[in-house]
Amino acid sequence: MVYEESQPGSVGIDLNIENFLTDSNGQVVANPRHYRNSRKRLAKEQRTLSRRARRAKREHRSLKTSQNYQKQRRLVAQLHDKVRTQRQHFLHQLSTTLIKSHDLVVAEELRSKNLLKNHALAMSISDVGWRTFLGMLTYKAALYGTTFMTVNPRNTTQTCSKCTFVMGTEGTKKLTLDQRKWQCPRCQTEHIRDWNAAQNILNKGLKKIKLA
């Protein structure tokens, strides 16, 4: 994980699957994909565990007393624990750096429950640990005296952060997920999708503070 500390100030962060996050300054943190990187090994060892369970059953042996089964069960548990530990370490490092480096951190409210219904995205969403990450930002902000807030993510990817034009209005089409770069039809500003979204997230946070 590489995230450069910056001068204290405000930052918006856009959480996404392609990269773990992009901030309003343009910094990008790659998605480590801990589970995906271990999936083949985990699947192989899980199949071995299932075979040993079936064998013990055929031979009328208790799984509790089957040494081969128990040895394999411990191996599978260790692999899962390794993935969890790697993910937690990554999330702790990044959340601490973000909170200690800024006076204000703004993120989007998570609405991953509906996204998890999409089986193609479910694994990726679960693997990144967004909810855990936002929880870490929340309690670390209190520890270090930083303001952390979440904002409604509506139109953060569809709005031009320069002139506030919203794609999908005035006869334009909404941006699709595969459109990573786009040009605002009103002010002609060239945008990198996630960077622009992070800037909009920060703007919403600043507006929220101003109205409070």
Side-chain angles (χ1 to χ4, degrees):
M1 187 277 294
V2 177
Y3 186 85
E4 295 182 7
E5 296 187 15
S6 57
Q7 293 298 317
S10 304
V11 69
I13 55 174
D14 175 56
L15 302 176
N16 48 81
I17 294 172
E18 187 67 24
N19 295 298
F20 183 79
L21 69 76
T22 301
D23 76 9
S24 53
N25 297 315
Q27 282 204 68
V28 176
V29 177
N31 182 353
R33 293 183 170 85
H34 297 298
Y35 177 76
R36 283 184 176 273
N37 292 336
S38 302
R39 185 172 51 170
K40 288 185 179 180
R41 173 80 189 281
L42 280 166
K44 176 184 176 183
E45 301 301 345
Q46 187 66 54
R47 287 194 299 270
T48 300
L49 182 66
S50 298
R51 285 198 304 270
R52 291 183 178 178
R54 291 195 298 270
R55 184 183 303 164
K57 187 177 181 179
R58 286 197 306 269
E59 296 173 357
H60 305 289
R61 289 183 290 112
S62 169
L63 294 182
K64 289 184 178 180
T65 59
S66 173
Q67 293 185 1
N68 286 337
Y69 173 84
Q70 290 299 328
K71 181 180 178 180
Q72 187 66 21
R73 183 187 64 78
R74 288 192 293 271
L75 175 59
V76 171
Q78 287 169 0
L79 289 174
H80 279 291
D81 187 60
K82 180 181 178 181
V83 172
R84 283 193 297 270
T85 300
Q86 288 176 326
R87 184 187 293 122
Q88 287 290 107
H89 180 69
F90 166 76
L91 296 177
H92 270 300
Q93 275 197 315
L94 180 55
S95 59
T96 298
T97 302
L98 271 168
I99 291 298
K100 291 178 70 174
S101 300
H102 301 94
D103 300 316
L104 169 68
V105 179
V106 186
E108 58 192 308
E109 296 170 3
L110 273 192
R111 299 184 175 183
S112 59
K113 184 176 180 180
N114 290 333
L115 289 173
L116 286 170
K117 294 177 182 178
N118 183 330
H119 297 298
L121 296 176
M123 182 186 299
S124 295
I125 293 170
S126 297
D127 194 21
V128 292
W130 286 339
R131 290 195 183 282
T132 300
F133 181 63
L134 293 187
M136 290 178 179
L137 290 174
T138 300
Y139 79 77
K140 289 179 183 182
L143 286 175
Y144 292 102
T146 297
T147 300
F148 171 67
M149 67 172 61
T150 58
V151 296
N152 190 322
R154 184 180 180 185
N155 286 334
T156 51
T157 59
Q158 303 291 334
T159 301
C160 172
S161 58
K162 297 297 182 183
C163 73
T164 71
F165 179 83
V166 181
M167 296 298 292
T169 64
E170 299 182 24
T172 61
K173 292 183 178 180
K174 283 191 172 185
L175 301 172
T176 59
L177 285 174
D178 61 346
Q179 288 180 272
R180 310 313 301 173
K181 296 181 180 181
W182 60 285
Q183 183 180 54
C184 175
R186 177 188 288 170
C187 68
Q188 308 305 312
T189 300
E190 296 280 351
H191 290 297
I192 297 174
R193 181 190 181 100
D194 300 333
W195 186 3
N196 177 70
Q199 291 173 312
N200 284 324
I201 288 167
L202 174 59
N203 290 338
K204 282 194 172 189
L206 294 172
K207 183 177 180 180
K208 191 174 180 179
I209 290 175
K210 188 176 181 179
L211 294 175

